[in-house]
C-alpha cells in the first residue's frame, strides 16, 4: 500500500457507559474495559480522556486511555464508528484510570 493511502491510527481503551435519569453518561458497573481503534471512516475527532464514542454496534464508550497504533496492526482491533460531544467526568472515571 502506498503511503498516500495510509492514515493515522490510534488505539482507545474505553469502558461501556449508560445514561442516568438526567441524561448524563456514566460508566456501567461490572464491565471491563476494552480496546477500539480509529478507522478510515471514523467520523469526528478525539479531544480528551472521558470523551464518548459510538462503536459500530451503537454502544456508547468513554475513553480511558489512548496510544498510537502502527498502521499495519490496525486489523487486530475493531474500529469505532464516530465521536460524540458527550463527556464523562474524570471524577466518575477514577476507578478505571
Amino acid at each position: 500500500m502506498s503511503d498516500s493511502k495510509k492514515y493515522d491510527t490510534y488505539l482507545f481503551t474505553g469502558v461501556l457507559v449508560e445514561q442516568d435519569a438526567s441524561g448524563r453518561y456514566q460508566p456501567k458497573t461490572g464491565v471491563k474495559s476494552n480496546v477500539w481503534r480509529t478507522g478510515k471512516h471514523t467520523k469526528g475527532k478525539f479531544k480528551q480522556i472521558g470523551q464518548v464514542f459510538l462503536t459500530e454496534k451503537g454502544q456508547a464508550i468513554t475513553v480511558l486511555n489512548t496510544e498510537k497504533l502502527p498502521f499495519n496492526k490496525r486489523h487486530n482491533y475493531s474500529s469505532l464508528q464516530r465521536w460524540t460531544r458527550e463527556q464523562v467526568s474524570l471524577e466518575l472515571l477514577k476507578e478505571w484510570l
Side-chain angles (χ1 to χ4, degrees):
M1 174 180 276
S2 75
D3 284 344
S4 66
K5 295 189 187 268
K6 288 186 179 181
Y7 51 92
D8 287 338
T9 52
Y10 292 89
L11 277 181
F12 296 93
T13 302
V15 66
L16 187 65
V17 291
E18 58 190 358
Q19 288 181 301
D20 64 13
S22 300
R24 290 184 293 259
Y25 284 98
Q26 51 188 322
K28 190 169 182 178
T29 56
V31 297
K32 293 184 179 184
S33 62
N34 208 333
V35 180
W36 291 264
R37 69 169 174 91
T38 49
K40 187 173 186 176
H41 302 290
T42 299
K43 306 230 186 307
K45 298 283 183 200
F46 171 70
K47 294 183 173 90
Q48 62 188 19
I49 299 298
Q51 185 175 355
V52 175
F53 67 83
L54 297 178
T55 67
E56 290 185 340
K57 294 181 180 182
Q59 295 175 304
I61 308 292
T62 189
V63 176
L64 304 173
N65 186 37
T66 183
E67 61 188 90
K68 184 82 169 123
L69 174 66
F71 189 78
N72 63 344
K73 305 275 189 206
R74 71 192 186 284
H75 292 298
N76 296 339
Y77 304 94
S78 296
S79 60
L80 61 96
Q81 182 182 41
R82 72 176 179 89
W83 292 101
T84 72
R85 294 181 183 176
E86 301 297 327
Q87 184 76 27
V88 175
S89 75
L90 294 180
E91 185 69 28
L92 288 175
L93 295 178
K94 275 185 178 177
E95 106 178 47
W96 282 277
L97 296 175

